[in-house]
Amino acid sequence: MKQLTIIKIGGNVIDNSENLHRFLLDFTALPGDKILVHGGGKIATELGESLGIEAKMIEGRRITDIETLRIVTMVYAGLINKNMVAQLQAKGSNAIGLSGADGNVIRAKKRPVSTKTYGTESGPMAGAVIDYGFVGDLDENSVSSTTLDSLLKAGLVPVLCAITHDGDTQLLNTNADTIASSVAVAMSALYETRLVYCFEKKGVLRDVNDDGSVVREIRSGEFEGLKADGTVAGGMIPKLHNAFEAINKGVSAVYIGKADELADLAVGTFGTKMLK
């Protein structure tokens, strides 16, 4: 099988033009077939605020009402995606920017409305209705691996934003980490696929205050022990949980590391590597 690298970047890269330029140079230089997945950064929030549209959250997660959906579609699938594609073209990478609707590449399902039940001393009590709005969830059939494969075989580099669709005219806002993982799993049937999450840290750190304490390799059997001793804590727990879930579904390896060190991936010293 040929190797395919799927790389996800977030706001820490997108919001800084110098960081983005350096990252895209390293991304272009990375050998082999590759796919880039990006989130949205601060631009959508700032645009919403300038238009008087307040960001609404439930337990730290954004609610995507119809006005917010219009903004994130314009920003994610438009401004950010096309700016990134233009920069990649200038750097010699024949990129093609896509939302999930383009080529039916990612079809999602609108997240259902739910009711959270809260426990009390006298027993369970019905709580508030939770409606995330136009948020799309993915399943094992969401990603069109054949479409992506045809683009790769044509020498194109797909650049996927966080906008998907439901196949019935409705656009949806989907978590970019989830998109990257779902794409990696789907493509693992056709390629030896590795998934790379670029964020602000150098990887999983034994000491969060020491950038030199990177844990270079973690196997699935070590995960629980690292949670127990506090090496993996907070927001890193769901990141690694999702990483090992992807590995269990066919992805060969998952990396977590700092975007400006992406060039180290070619020599095997990038961030933390998760293996089965």
Side-chain angles (χ1 to χ4, degrees), residues 3 6 18 23 50 58 67 81 106 114 133 140 166 200 269:
Q3 186 176 75
I6 294 161
E18 184 178 331
F23 168 82
S50 72
I58 296 177
E67 295 299 332
N81 188 267
I106 306 174
S114 62
E140 65 276 7
D166 69 353
E200 66 276 6
T269 58

Side-chain angles (χ1 to χ4, degrees), residues 136-228:
D137 292 327
L138 307 183
D139 60 30
E140 65 276 7
N141 299 312
S142 290
V143 176
S144 174
S145 57
T146 55
T147 301
L148 290 172
D149 184 42
S150 67
L151 294 172
L152 293 167
K153 285 178 176 174
L156 294 166
V157 177
V159 180
L160 302 172
C161 72
I163 301 299
T164 58
H165 78 130
D166 69 353
D168 191 27
T169 77
Q170 183 61 59
L171 295 171
L172 297 165
N173 184 17
T174 297
N175 180 273
D177 282 355
T178 302
I179 288 176
S181 178
S182 295
V183 169
V185 170
M187 298 305 289
S188 66
L190 304 173
Y191 294 80
E192 181 186 339
T193 304
R194 57 182 179 173
L195 172 60
V196 181
Y197 287 110
C198 292
F199 75 139
E200 66 276 6
K201 296 288 186 182
K202 288 179 173 287
V204 178
L205 305 177
R206 291 197 179 277
D207 179 353
V208 293
N209 298 312
D210 179 7
D211 280 347
S213 65
V214 177
V215 181
R216 289 297 175 190
E217 188 174 291
I218 302 174
R219 292 192 175 269
S220 58
E222 302 170 317
F223 183 35
E224 292 300 324
L226 290 171
K227 282 197 297 182

